[in-house]
Amino acid sequence: MSKVCENETTTNTTKTNQTQEVYQGCYQDAPPPSRDFDVLAIENSKIPIVCFKKCRSLGYAYAGLQNGGQCFCGSSFGRHGKVPESACSTICNGDRTKVCGGTWRNSVYKLI
């Protein structure tokens, strides 16, 4: 079951200060209680970096962006399988130059 922590609102590798996010691919999600990620950290993240920072601050290794702005965090992912990149084609709510997953699809990043 996903928990909501906060309501706030790339290329293959994104560098931010001393951190990196490495794109892992597009992955299928499912409704609760079978979500792929542990936590819905931000209901409507405006830009991906806000999601990455939130997941990192919560101690998670992965961030998943879904449906234009939902931000999920987890220690693992992929229980529902990888899907074609074309399934993760929803533009991010606050950054029209980035893609943030799709409907029940997560754009997954490893947080380094």
Side-chain angles (χ1 to χ4, degrees):
M1 177 184 226
S2 294
K3 299 175 266 185
V4 176
C5 293
E6 166 179 333
N7 186 358
E8 196 294 6
T9 291
T10 1
T11 58
N12 284 348
T13 303
T14 305
K15 290 186 180 184
T16 55
N17 296 332
Q18 302 295 2
T19 62
Q20 280 187 326
E21 295 78 37
V22 180
Y23 184 69
Q24 303 295 295
C26 183
Y27 286 82
Q28 178 69 43
D29 201 359
S34 188
R35 299 231 58 151
D36 201 26
F37 281 91
D38 301 328
V39 174
L40 172 58
I42 304 172
E43 179 65 35
N44 187 16
S45 180
K46 300 297 182 200
I47 56 175
I49 191 65
V50 172
C51 177
F52 302 152
K53 285 180 180 180
K54 182 65 175 181
C55 291
R56 195 174 276 113
S57 76
L58 293 171
Y60 288 101
Y62 298 97
L65 296 161
Q66 187 176 124
N67 208 28
Q70 289 181 311
C71 169
F72 292 91
C73 308
S75 299
S76 63
F77 67 93
R79 84 169 84 168
H80 303 294
K82 192 168 186 175
V83 295
E85 286 303 311
S86 60
C88 285
S89 59
T90 303
I91 301 299
C92 298
N93 293 335
D95 185 345
R96 311 294 297 164
T97 67
K98 305 249 186 283
V99 176
C100 287
T103 304
W104 297 111
R105 307 291 191 275
N106 289 309
S107 293
V108 179
Y109 291 83
K110 181 177 175 103
L111 307 174
I112 298 173

